[in-house]
Amino acid sequence: MTGREARAHIRSGGFAGPTTGMAAGFVQANLVIVPERFALDFLRFCQLNPKPCPLLGVGEPGDPALPAVGEGIDIRTDVPRYRVFRDGAFGETVEDVSAIWRDDLVTFALGCSFSFEHALVDYGLRLKHSALDRNVAMYRTSIKTVPSGPFGGPLVVSMRPFRGGDAVRAVQISTRYPMAHGAPVHLGAPQAIGIADLARPDFGDAVPVEDDEVPVFWACGVTPQAALERAGLAFAIVHDPGHMLVTDIRNEDIALL
Amino acid sequence: MTGREARAHIRSGGFAGPTTGMAAGFVQANLVIVPERFALDFLRFCQLNPKPCPLLGVGEPGDPALPAVGEGIDIRTDVPRYRVFRDGAFGETVEDVSAIWRDDLVTFALGCSFSFEHALVDYGLRLKHSALDRNVAMYRTSIKTVPSGPFGGPLVVSMRPFRGGDAVRAVQISTRYPMAHGAPVHLGAPQAIGIADLARPDFGDAVPVEDDEVPVFWACGVTPQAALERAGLAFAIVHDPGHMLVTDIRNEDIALL
């Protein structure tokens, strides 16, 4: 299945689940849609914080197309599930945002960890959260994003445990994917980045870290969602976690040499 | 000072100390000289174990030149200090091996960690052992080299502690230097590679690892010296640790993109 075929399937109403493993080899994207009034600030936020917010594409105000990442995209219907943000807080999840679309909405597609995870698995590394059938563990850290307008707040990271030599390979492989959060921001001592207890993630599921494993931390696409909350916008739309925009871009297209 | 100038200075008898920081930017090399009878086995040992034994140059039997790594080298006089290996054990150290040179000796120059250390320091990372004015800590591990003829035995590693984000950068930077041991072989739990106590290195000096640091382990040029001991050769010559062959090769010449 190509990215385009995946989107057609989703648009037809045939699929509303998580996109993990869908259209393997095609880049999936985090989605943030904000009113034009905040679009410049948010765009600058992304460019100031490229590790959590690697910018794949930005739409025109009011235009549901996003040609930078895929042909024929209608962003109102092509994501399996959305979260609507109202009056400073996340509200309902819906499968279609056509009814609430507005002429002033600007769409942002941001790279997602699935691209480097795909490369890690291709290489032969084991993703512990996948093996345990859990979501990846995510944490708010003491690392601050660089603010822009109302957007700012903590860097959110995802954590994957690896044994030593595998941790080295995970650094090398993810370094090749700067548009999918790139190299880890940290490894080892969680306290050093303000994480008090690995067993209590702020998002996702806890994944145990054994004595012979090192926790490896990557910047995470939940960071912009935390920034939205901090900004307290009256209206915005994001994807529901795990329910991503599948693009026409191939993972290898965004890989460094 | 260029590599050639450094060698001329050493050859003239003007310098017999450690070469750390000498001819900055030029590759320094580990030296192993064995009788021709063992040269093929040793060459194959290097090619089977490229991380501890990255082969920069091999001489002709009996020839003290080594044009692959430097113009006008006389390997009998151009290294500040040598260790002579006799009857299976390391013996005396000398500043010149002209008097004990033989027509059947074959010279091997192997890349050394100074090249990636130079790149780490250039980037702005702090080498703790340098800051403490100590030798790097080195350990025999439970990782076995691939044997060739009489050569084999444990992989020896050097350890440098880094904080999380710096550990990530250290992996990335050293990955660019496969001819200088390349990426780490391990990071985190020392027990996983058979190191019982970081405070008791097998070679060099202990360097403390704090709670917010991760020990990072690289394959080490002492590995072939351990292999020589295991092989129990009647005669061989190596450099005295820290007293390296300074070559004409620039660090950037051996760096990947």
Side-chain angles (χ1 to χ4, degrees):
Chain A
M1 193 188 276
T2 65
R4 195 173 187 182
E5 287 164 353
R7 293 195 304 275
H9 185 44
I10 292 163
R11 187 188 298 188
S12 73
F15 184 78
T19 51
T20 325
M22 205 173 190
F26 287 88
V27 170
Q28 299 198 15
N30 292 289
L31 180 70
V32 177
I33 301 174
V34 299
E36 185 177 4
R37 190 184 146 207
F38 297 104
L40 178 60
D41 280 337
F42 188 75
L43 178 49
R44 210 158 45 111
F45 180 73
C46 295
Q47 295 195 305
L48 288 166
N49 300 282
K51 291 204 97 165
C53 306
L55 204 50
L56 292 172
V58 185
E60 300 280 343
D63 189 347
L66 201 55
V69 305
E71 211 181 308
I73 287 177
D74 184 332
I75 204 65
R76 300 169 298 189
T77 54
D78 288 4
V79 168
R81 190 174 294 274
Y82 306 79
R83 289 172 87 189
V84 184
F85 188 85
R86 290 184 197 277
D87 301 323
F90 285 105
E92 75 274 22
T93 71
V94 294
E95 295 178 22
D96 185 314
V97 294
S98 301
I100 55 172
W101 189 256
R102 303 181 351 189
D103 281 349
D104 68 336
L105 293 180
V106 178
T107 299
F108 295 82
L110 311 176
C112 130
S113 59
F114 287 174
S115 298
F116 77 72
E117 285 191 341
H118 187 264
L120 296 178
V121 170
D122 256 11
Y123 173 73
L125 296 186
R126 176 172 166 274
L127 294 176
K128 201 167 181 182
H129 67 279
S130 303
L132 297 172
D133 201 22
R134 300 186 190 171
N135 290 315
V136 75
M138 292 165 276
Y139 306 86
R140 294 177 201 270
T141 69
S142 55
I143 303 169
K144 299 267 175 275
T145 59
V146 184
S148 168
F151 303 105
L155 176 73
V156 179
V157 296
S158 59
M159 185 281 290
R160 293 164 189 81
F162 288 104
R163 293 207 185 84
D166 289 348
V168 171
R169 286 308 276 160
V171 169
Q172 293 177 312
I173 291 168
S174 60
T175 294
R176 296 184 64 221
Y177 292 90
M179 295 308 283
H181 306 308
V185 293
H186 184 70
L187 54 79
Q191 302 80 359
I193 57 171
I195 300 172
D197 185 356
L198 282 182
R200 296 178 54 199
D202 295 305
F203 311 95
D205 300 322
V207 172
V209 181
E210 307 303 329
D211 281 351
D212 63 349
E213 293 175 327
V214 176
V216 184
F217 301 92
W218 279 268
C220 175
V222 171
T223 305
Q225 297 200 5
L228 274 186
E229 287 187 296
R230 182 173 176 278
L233 263 54
F235 184 75
I237 300 169
V238 300
H239 67 287
D240 195 33
H243 300 66
M244 317 303 284
L245 172 65
V246 186
T247 76
D248 291 351
I249 304 168
R250 287 173 185 274
N251 281 330
E252 280 306 304
D253 289 336
I254 61 165
L256 301 182
L257 287 181
Chain B
M1 192 188 276
T2 65
R4 195 174 187 178
E5 287 163 354
R7 293 194 304 275
H9 186 44
I10 292 162
R11 187 188 298 189
S12 72
F15 184 79
T19 51
T20 324
M22 204 173 190
F26 287 87
V27 170
Q28 299 197 15
N30 292 289
L31 180 70
V32 177
I33 301 174
V34 298
E36 186 178 4
R37 192 184 143 206
F38 297 104
L40 178 61
D41 280 337
F42 188 74
L43 177 51
R44 210 158 46 110
F45 180 72
C46 294
Q47 295 194 307
L48 287 166
N49 299 283
K51 292 205 97 163
C53 305
L55 204 50
L56 293 172
V58 186
E60 299 281 342
D63 189 347
L66 201 55
V69 306
E71 213 182 306
I73 287 177
D74 184 332
I75 203 65
R76 300 169 298 188
T77 54
D78 289 5
V79 168
R81 190 174 292 276
Y82 305 80
R83 289 171 88 191
V84 184
F85 187 85
R86 291 183 196 278
D87 300 324
F90 286 106
E92 75 273 22
T93 72
V94 294
E95 294 178 22
D96 185 315
V97 294
S98 300
I100 55 172
W101 189 256
R102 303 182 349 189
D103 281 349
D104 67 336
L105 294 180
V106 177
T107 299
F108 295 82
L110 311 176
C112 130
S113 59
F114 287 174
S115 298
F116 78 71
E117 286 191 341
H118 187 265
L120 296 177
V121 169
D122 256 11
Y123 173 74
L125 297 185
R126 175 172 166 276
L127 294 176
K128 201 166 180 183
H129 67 278
S130 303
L132 296 171
D133 201 22
R134 301 185 189 171
N135 290 316
V136 76
M138 292 166 275
Y139 307 85
R140 294 177 201 270
T141 70
S142 55
I143 303 169
K144 300 266 175 279
T145 59
V146 184
S148 168
F151 303 105
L155 177 72
V156 178
V157 297
S158 59
M159 186 281 290
R160 293 164 189 79
F162 288 103
R163 291 206 187 84
D166 289 348
V168 172
R169 286 308 278 161
V171 169
Q172 293 177 312
I173 292 169
S174 60
T175 294
R176 296 184 65 223
Y177 292 90
M179 296 308 284
H181 305 309
V185 293
H186 184 69
L187 54 79
Q191 302 80 359
I193 56 171
I195 300 172
D197 185 356
L198 282 182
R200 296 178 55 199
D202 295 305
F203 311 94
D205 301 323
V207 172
V209 181
E210 308 302 330
D211 281 351
D212 64 349
E213 293 176 326
V214 176
V216 184
F217 300 92
W218 278 269
C220 174
V222 171
T223 305
Q225 297 200 5
L228 273 187
E229 288 187 294
R230 182 175 175 277
L233 263 55
F235 184 76
I237 300 170
V238 300
H239 67 288
D240 195 32
H243 301 65
M244 318 301 283
L245 172 65
V246 186
T247 76
D248 291 351
I249 304 169
R250 286 174 185 274
N251 280 331
E252 279 307 303
D253 289 335
I254 61 164
L256 300 183
L257 287 181

